């Protein structure tokens, strides 16, 4: 049905831009159940909006029936959205005040069908799915499972060729989740069903094809030939439905409408105050982001574009570059120190123990020189830059363990993690060493970081870890080789493809004033797609700046609307709700 060629979606401009989808190339089959999996913020909803025609790609082309979807005329796009696709939402998006039958009838009325014909077809849909007992009930009175099944009828009433389900089981219990997925799987025999979800375990037994999205990049999708069909001519919308709906809305919500008018004045005042706050926040965000031990730390990896054989899909592969390949960094940033990344010996979020409480969502981050950040320590002192056994924590960590900042100083936390390192001897036999970290670390300081980092963190000395690993013996491998071999030796000698090594180098900047140079290099190589420079501080602050830009623009527009159209706000709201449900 669909073919996506080099599709990208970028929000914002210049330094504040966020690349949500990155050169996506996909071809969808004409039928079957296609799952789209990814974490929150990975680009699932953006891809969904592009497929439904609610949003357009920044770059690239999306073809439907071999025609550019972005160039559809308004009339063709309305026909496509109302007759070709049926959308099933996580939170249903039906009218609570209408009966289930009225909700299901509404899409056909919008298409221009008569009241009698629309109602008869809707009744047949309820009978087909054995839901007649729900027809005359108000939608608000139904259970979650019943609501989603009625929402499915609403999506199917115009007999669409494509069903798009956005987290259809996200608000349901296990039993109802399986019921909905059973019905979608049955529909997939004759339709293309696209299910956006993060529940890989549930979807695994239903999907025919899978698309994984990670940071806007998609995995391969098994494809079939595209089968064309013609768009039927869309009838004129039944405008009486619109006016009757607005009238019903005003009548049923008289008190709420009075309150809405009163709220406009208050909203105007709040908007002006908020706009002033956001404007100040935007100007000071560059100052705030320096209040983090991660500010001068980043990693760099080499980015290689890999083409999948016999497929239009392109994959970005990250490997550790050679020191010669990144020698230019030292020319650009005088205080830069490039070091091996030893975090391969730790999981992404190791487990910490304190007072019989375990926390496993803590980030364990290296710092090269604690003395650069004396101003953000609010309790205790900065750890020694040469000892792995002294650490600093942020306020989120203190709160997670239910301590206060003073009492947590000099407490001992235990780092528990198990890592496996495999090596081969001269005969090619694999020698396994298990490294069991049960290390006690002393908390000597608490930092007050940039508030939008939000993650509990433990900061350790990079040089201290380096020395610690220099003395950590690989017992089994040493015995086989007849000499002492330490963990640091193995990681240092590992090339970019060796699983014992990391795919990146650590970058530490010892002069805070030079950090912005690194950020400029990151933006340059993000565009060239040759190196991947990862900086938590840059990502968070850029996202925050983009958010403030969007909110500021929205607030200005809102003020203008309030001034010019206050007396019409209820009618506008009713019409907006109607057209949104029409879509």
């Amino acid at each position: 049905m669909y073919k996506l060629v080099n599709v990208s979606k970028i929000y914002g401009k210049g330094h504040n831009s966020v690349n949500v989808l990155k050169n996506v190339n996909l071809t969808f089959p004409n039928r079957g159940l296609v799952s789209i999996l990814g974490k929150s913020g990975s680009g699932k909803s953006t891809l969904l909006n592009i497929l439904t025609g609610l949003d357009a790609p920044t770059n690239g082309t999306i073809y439907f029936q071999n025609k550019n979807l972005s160039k559809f005329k308004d009339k063709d796009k309305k026909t496509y959205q109302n007759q070709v696709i049926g959308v099933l939402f996580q939170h249903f998006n039906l009218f609570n005040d209408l009966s289930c039958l009225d909700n299901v009838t509404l899409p056909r009325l919008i298409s221009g069908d008569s009241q009698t014909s629309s109602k008869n077809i809707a009744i047949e849909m309820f009978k087909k799915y054995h839901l007649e007992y729900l027809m005359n009930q108000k939608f608000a009175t139904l259970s979650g499972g019943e609501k989603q099944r009625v929402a499915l009828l609403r999506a199917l009433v115009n007999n669409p060729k494509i069903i798009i389900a956005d987290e259809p089981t996200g608000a349901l219990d296990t039993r109802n989740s399986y019921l909905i997925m059973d019905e979608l799987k049955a529909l997939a025999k004759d339709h293309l069903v696209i299910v956006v979800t993060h529940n890989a375990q549930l979807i695994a037994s239903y999907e025919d094809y899978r698309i994984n999205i990670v940071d806007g990049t998609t995995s391969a999708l098994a494809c079939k030939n595209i089968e064309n069909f013609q768009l039927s001519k869309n009838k004129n919308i039944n405008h009486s439905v619109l006016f009757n709906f607005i009238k019903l809305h005003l009548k049923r919500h008289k008190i709420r409408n009075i309150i809405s008018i009163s709220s406009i004045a208050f909203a105007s005042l709040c908007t002006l105050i908020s706009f002033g706050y956001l404007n100040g926040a935007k100007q000071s965000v560059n100052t705030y982001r320096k209040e983090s031990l991660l500010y001068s730390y980043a990693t760099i990896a080499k980015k290689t574009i890999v083409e999948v054989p016999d497929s239009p899909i392109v994959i970005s592969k990250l490997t550790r570059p050679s020191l010669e390949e990144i020698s230019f960094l030292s020319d650009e940033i005088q205080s830069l120190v490039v070091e091996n990344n030893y975090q391969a010996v730790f999981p992404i979020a190791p487990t910490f123990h304190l007072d019989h409480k375990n926390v496993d969502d803590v980030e364990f981050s290296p710092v090269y020189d604690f003395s650069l950040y004396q101003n953000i320590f609010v309790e205790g002192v900065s750890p020694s830059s040469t000892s792995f056994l002294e650490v600093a924590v942020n306020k989120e960590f203190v709160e997670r363990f239910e301590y206060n900042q003073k009492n947590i100083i000099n407490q001992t936390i235990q780092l528990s993690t198990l890592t496996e390192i495999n090596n081969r001897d001269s005969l090619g036999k694999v020698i396994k060493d298990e490294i069991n970290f049960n290390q006690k670390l002393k908390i000597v300081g608490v930092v007050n970081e940039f508030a939008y980092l939000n993650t509990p963190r433990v900061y350790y000395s990079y040089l201290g870890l380096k020395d610690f690993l220099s003395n950590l013996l690989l017992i089994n491998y040493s015995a086989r080789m007849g000499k002492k071999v330490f963990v640091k030796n193995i990681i240092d000698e590992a090339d970019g493809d060796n699983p014992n090594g990391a795919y990146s180098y650590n970058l530490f900047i010892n002069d805070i004033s030079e950090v912005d140079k690194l950020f400029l290099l990151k933006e340059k190589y993000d565009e060239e797609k040759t190196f991947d420079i990862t900086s938590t501080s840059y990502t968070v602050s850029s996202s925050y700046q983009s958010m403030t830009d969007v909110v500021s623009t929205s607030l200005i527009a809102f003020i203008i609307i309030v001034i010019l159209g206050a007396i019409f706000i209820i009618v506008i709201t009713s019409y907006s709700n109607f057209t949104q449900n029409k879509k």
Side-chain angles (χ1 to χ4, degrees):
M1 293 299 178
Y2 297 105
K3 184 176 182 180
L4 282 71
V5 180
N6 295 327
V7 170
S8 297
K9 184 62 182 178
I10 302 173
Y11 292 102
K13 295 181 180 179
H15 300 323
N16 300 322
S17 62
V18 179
N19 197 347
V20 181
L21 292 178
K22 306 171 185 177
N23 293 329
V24 174
N25 291 274
L26 293 172
T27 301
F28 284 79
N30 63 313
R31 64 178 58 86
L33 196 150
V34 179
S35 66
I36 301 178
L37 270 76
K39 296 180 179 179
S40 296
S42 61
K44 302 192 303 297
S45 296
T46 300
L47 178 59
L48 193 72
N49 288 338
I50 290 176
L51 292 177
T52 55
L54 296 177
D55 204 350
T58 305
N59 299 305
T61 308
I62 175 170
Y63 293 97
F64 175 75
Q65 295 184 335
N66 295 325
K67 296 180 181 178
N68 189 339
L69 183 60
S70 300
K71 295 184 179 180
F72 272 23
K73 296 180 180 178
D74 288 344
K75 187 175 182 181
D76 290 335
K77 181 171 286 189
K78 289 177 181 178
T79 302
Y80 165 78
Q81 292 173 335
N82 195 38
Q83 296 181 11
V84 177
I85 61 174
V87 182
L88 187 62
F89 300 94
Q90 176 182 355
H91 297 295
F92 320 123
N93 286 9
L94 273 77
F95 295 107
N96 287 326
D97 293 324
L98 298 181
S99 69
C100 295
L101 179 59
D102 289 339
N103 270 298
V104 176
T105 302
L106 194 56
R108 294 204 64 85
L109 293 175
I110 292 172
S111 300
D113 204 353
S114 68
Q115 180 79 29
T116 302
S117 174
S118 299
K119 189 171 184 179
N120 288 339
I121 292 173
I123 290 173
E124 288 301 316
M125 291 291 295
F126 278 93
K127 290 180 178 179
K128 180 179 178 180
Y129 287 85
H130 308 290
L131 296 174
E132 303 96 317
Y133 65 98
L134 296 178
M135 287 195 300
N136 296 319
Q137 292 189 40
K138 289 291 181 66
F139 183 74
T141 66
L142 305 186
S143 67
E146 290 171 336
K147 287 181 177 179
Q148 193 61 291
R149 299 187 75 186
V150 172
L152 179 60
L153 298 188
R154 188 271 309 273
L156 298 176
V157 72
N158 276 335
N159 192 26
K161 302 292 184 181
I162 304 167
I163 295 97
I164 298 178
D166 185 12
E167 297 283 3
T169 61
L172 304 181
D173 58 27
T174 302
R175 177 179 175 276
N176 284 303
S177 294
Y178 280 106
L179 286 174
I180 289 296
M181 289 308 305
D182 287 342
E183 292 172 357
L184 291 175
K185 182 62 177 179
L187 289 167
K189 294 178 181 179
D190 302 308
H191 299 76
L192 171 60
V193 179
I194 302 174
V195 179
V196 174
T197 183
H198 64 272
N199 192 337
Q201 182 177 359
L202 173 64
I203 200 69
S205 58
Y206 294 95
E207 63 190 4
D208 299 310
Y209 311 90
R210 173 179 290 192
I211 302 171
N212 287 312
I213 299 184
V214 179
D215 294 334
T217 302
T218 60
S219 66
L221 169 69
C223 304
K224 293 184 179 179
N225 293 330
I226 298 175
E227 178 180 277
N228 289 335
F229 57 88
Q230 296 299 319
L231 291 174
S232 60
K233 187 176 181 181
N234 194 17
K235 302 177 183 178
N236 292 326
I237 183 171
N238 190 338
H239 292 286
S240 63
V241 178
L242 171 61
F243 295 118
N244 288 336
F245 177 80
I246 294 176
K247 181 179 178 182
L248 176 66
H249 183 77
L250 291 171
K251 183 177 179 181
R252 291 186 175 180
H253 304 289
K254 186 181 298 183
I255 296 177
R256 192 176 73 180
N257 291 330
I258 294 173
I259 295 174
S260 297
I261 295 174
S262 303
S263 301
I264 293 173
F266 178 73
S268 301
L269 178 61
C270 291
T271 300
L272 292 173
I273 295 173
S274 299
F275 180 70
Y277 167 77
L278 289 171
N279 189 49
K282 180 179 178 181
Q283 294 177 0
S284 59
V285 66
N286 287 327
T287 302
Y288 292 154
R289 71 179 181 182
K290 297 179 182 180
E291 297 178 355
S292 167
L293 292 176
L294 294 175
Y295 178 60
S296 63
Y297 166 68
T299 61
I300 185 169
K302 184 178 180 181
K303 182 183 291 186
T304 305
I305 304 300
V306 180
E307 295 185 358
V308 179
D310 302 322
S311 172
I313 293 173
V314 175
I315 299 174
S316 297
K317 178 183 179 183
L318 299 180
T319 55
R320 188 172 65 180
S322 66
L323 290 174
E324 290 77 13
E325 289 176 308
I326 58 174
S327 59
F328 65 89
L329 290 172
S330 298
D331 297 331
E332 297 283 348
I333 306 172
Q334 301 300 317
S335 65
L336 181 70
V337 178
V338 180
E339 291 279 1
N340 238 329
N341 190 342
Y342 296 113
Q343 288 199 255
V345 298
F346 300 113
I348 295 176
T351 300
F352 288 90
H353 309 270
L354 176 61
D355 290 345
H356 307 292
K357 184 176 181 179
N358 299 337
V359 175
D360 58 6
D361 62 345
V362 177
E363 292 198 12
F364 199 42
S365 304
V367 177
Y368 194 82
D369 186 357
F370 282 101
S371 65
L372 296 174
Y373 301 97
Q374 295 289 349
N375 61 311
I376 65 172
F377 277 84
V378 292
E379 289 292 340
V381 296
S382 61
S384 168
S385 293
T386 58
S387 173
F388 180 59
L389 303 182
E390 291 184 356
V391 296
V393 299
N394 63 1
K395 292 198 298 184
E396 285 76 13
F397 180 92
V398 176
E399 293 169 358
R400 185 62 58 88
F401 279 100
E402 299 176 352
Y403 267 76
N404 62 50
Q405 296 175 18
K406 290 185 178 180
N407 292 342
I408 205 167
I409 298 298
N410 295 325
Q411 292 291 331
T412 299
I413 55 174
Q414 185 167 346
L415 167 65
S416 296
T417 181
L418 182 64
T419 302
E420 184 178 287
I421 293 183
N422 296 318
N423 294 285
R424 293 184 181 272
D425 61 13
S426 57
L427 300 177
K429 183 178 180 180
V430 176
I431 310 300
K432 181 192 299 183
D433 279 277
E434 289 187 346
I435 302 175
N436 189 2
F437 279 95
N438 280 311
Q439 196 66 41
K440 292 184 177 180
L441 307 175
K442 183 180 179 181
I443 299 173
V444 298
V446 178
V447 294
N448 182 21
E449 294 189 296
F450 180 42
Y452 291 89
L453 289 171
N454 282 331
T455 304
R457 297 178 189 272
V458 174
Y459 292 101
Y460 64 89
S461 165
Y462 171 83
L463 296 176
L465 175 63
K466 189 174 181 180
D467 181 66
F468 181 81
L469 296 179
S470 297
N471 297 287
L472 189 59
L473 187 68
L474 293 173
I475 298 174
N476 296 335
Y477 190 56
S478 296
R480 177 57 61 92
M481 301 301 292
K483 62 179 181 179
K484 292 183 178 180
V485 182
F486 300 95
V487 172
K488 179 179 179 297
N489 304 136
I490 295 300
I491 296 177
D492 287 344
E493 295 169 3
D495 58 28
D497 294 322
N498 191 317
N500 290 331
Y503 66 83
S504 62
Y505 278 108
N506 281 335
L507 304 178
F508 300 101
I509 300 177
N510 290 324
D511 184 351
I512 297 297
S513 64
E514 290 193 299
V515 174
D516 285 336
K517 295 180 181 179
L518 180 65
F519 292 166
L520 292 175
L521 288 174
K522 171 180 170 56
E523 292 167 0
K524 174 184 177 181
Y525 291 114
D526 281 348
E527 293 180 2
E528 295 181 359
K529 300 179 181 178
T530 52
F531 292 98
D532 181 73
I533 298 177
T534 302
S535 167
T536 300
S537 177
Y538 176 87
T539 301
V540 172
S541 60
S542 296
S543 299
Y544 179 66
Q545 284 183 337
S546 298
M547 179 191 70
T548 56
D549 287 342
V550 171
V551 174
S552 297
T553 303
S554 301
L555 288 173
I556 293 173
F558 180 71
I559 293 170
I560 295 173
I561 292 172
V562 168
I563 295 173
L564 299 179
I567 61 176
F568 303 108
I569 192 65
I570 300 175
V571 175
I572 294 173
T573 302
S574 299
Y575 181 79
S576 175
N577 290 339
F578 177 84
T579 54
Q580 183 65 33
N581 280 271
K582 170 193 166 186
K583 289 180 180 179

